[in-house]
Amino acid sequence: MQTNFLSQKEAELYHRMLDPKFEPADGHSTTAAFVLNQSLDKVLMIYHRKYDAWGIPGGHVEPDEALIDSVKRELLEETGLTLDAPYFDEPVSVEKLGAFDHHHYNAVFLFVARDDLPLVLNEEETRGVKWIAIEELEKEVREAHMLILYNKILNRIAQRLDMK
């Protein structure tokens, strides 16, 4: 069940998440968009009100919603961007993440977009939306566990794309 990006454990979790009946007792399914600009040197981030930190756009999967539809909806709601499809057919990461008193079973999909497209601030959920240079992530991302995840994703992507 090995895939191009995912470990065996991640691939198994992803396939479970694809089942519309997947309802873990300790949390719920979420999706996130890891959006790189066309030069592959910036990541699109939002400032999450809930977490009081910069992170990638994403959120809860709605009932009967496909994972890919969820990530595209969350991207639109949180940044104003409408992107047709992820860069790869599969996620670049699937994790079980702690979120306050429960877990997020999270699938992260890679998108590539122009960094001159207009962005829209979702004031209800975020305090900011901007492109952050990859070399600035360590300075901007305060959550150490998320920085580890973002670096893992970047390393996986770098193996497949010509990243500096």
Side-chain angles (χ1 to χ4, degrees):
M1 198 181 293
Q2 187 73 26
T3 66
N4 290 321
F5 291 106
L6 306 179
S7 69
Q8 181 74 22
K9 182 179 175 181
E10 287 176 281
E12 289 170 5
L13 177 55
Y14 176 58
H15 288 287
R16 286 180 28 223
M17 290 175 67
L18 288 172
D19 182 346
K21 293 180 175 65
F22 178 71
E23 291 183 34
D26 63 344
H28 43 261
S29 295
T30 60
T31 57
F34 198 88
V35 185
L36 291 172
N37 66 340
Q38 291 177 309
S39 300
L40 307 178
D41 61 358
K42 294 179 189 171
V43 179
L44 183 61
M45 296 247 163
I46 60 170
Y47 196 91
H48 291 270
R49 284 188 181 276
K50 187 174 184 178
Y51 297 105
D52 193 29
W54 286 104
I56 58 176
H60 299 133
V61 178
E62 300 294 333
D64 299 319
E65 183 177 43
L67 297 178
I68 196 62
D69 294 332
S70 170
V71 72
K72 289 172 22 177
R73 176 185 50 75
E74 288 290 345
L75 185 59
L76 174 61
E77 288 175 3
E78 295 182 348
T79 70
L81 290 183
T82 301
L83 300 178
D84 292 331
Y87 196 82
F88 299 109
D89 291 336
E90 65 181 13
V92 293
S93 174
V94 178
E95 306 286 335
K96 178 180 176 182
L97 303 170
F100 302 110
D101 63 347
H102 63 284
H103 289 96
H104 286 170
Y105 292 79
N106 191 52
V108 181
F109 293 87
L110 172 66
F111 291 84
V112 176
R114 294 185 5 231
D115 57 12
D116 62 348
L117 294 173
L119 301 174
V120 176
L121 176 65
N122 175 337
E123 293 184 31
E124 185 177 316
E125 296 182 27
T126 71
R127 286 192 208 136
V129 56
K130 70 178 181 178
W131 291 96
I132 297 177
I134 288 173
E135 68 263 8
E136 297 293 316
L137 286 178
E138 196 165 319
K139 184 176 88 175
E140 296 281 351
V141 176
R142 289 191 336 218
E143 298 176 295
H145 69 286
M146 295 307 293
L147 187 59
I148 290 168
L149 175 61
Y150 301 153
N151 284 326
K152 177 176 95 172
I153 291 168
L154 284 166
N155 287 333
R156 286 179 173 182
I157 295 167
Q159 292 175 10
R160 293 277 300 275
L161 302 179
D162 185 24
M163 292 180 69
K164 300 174 182 81

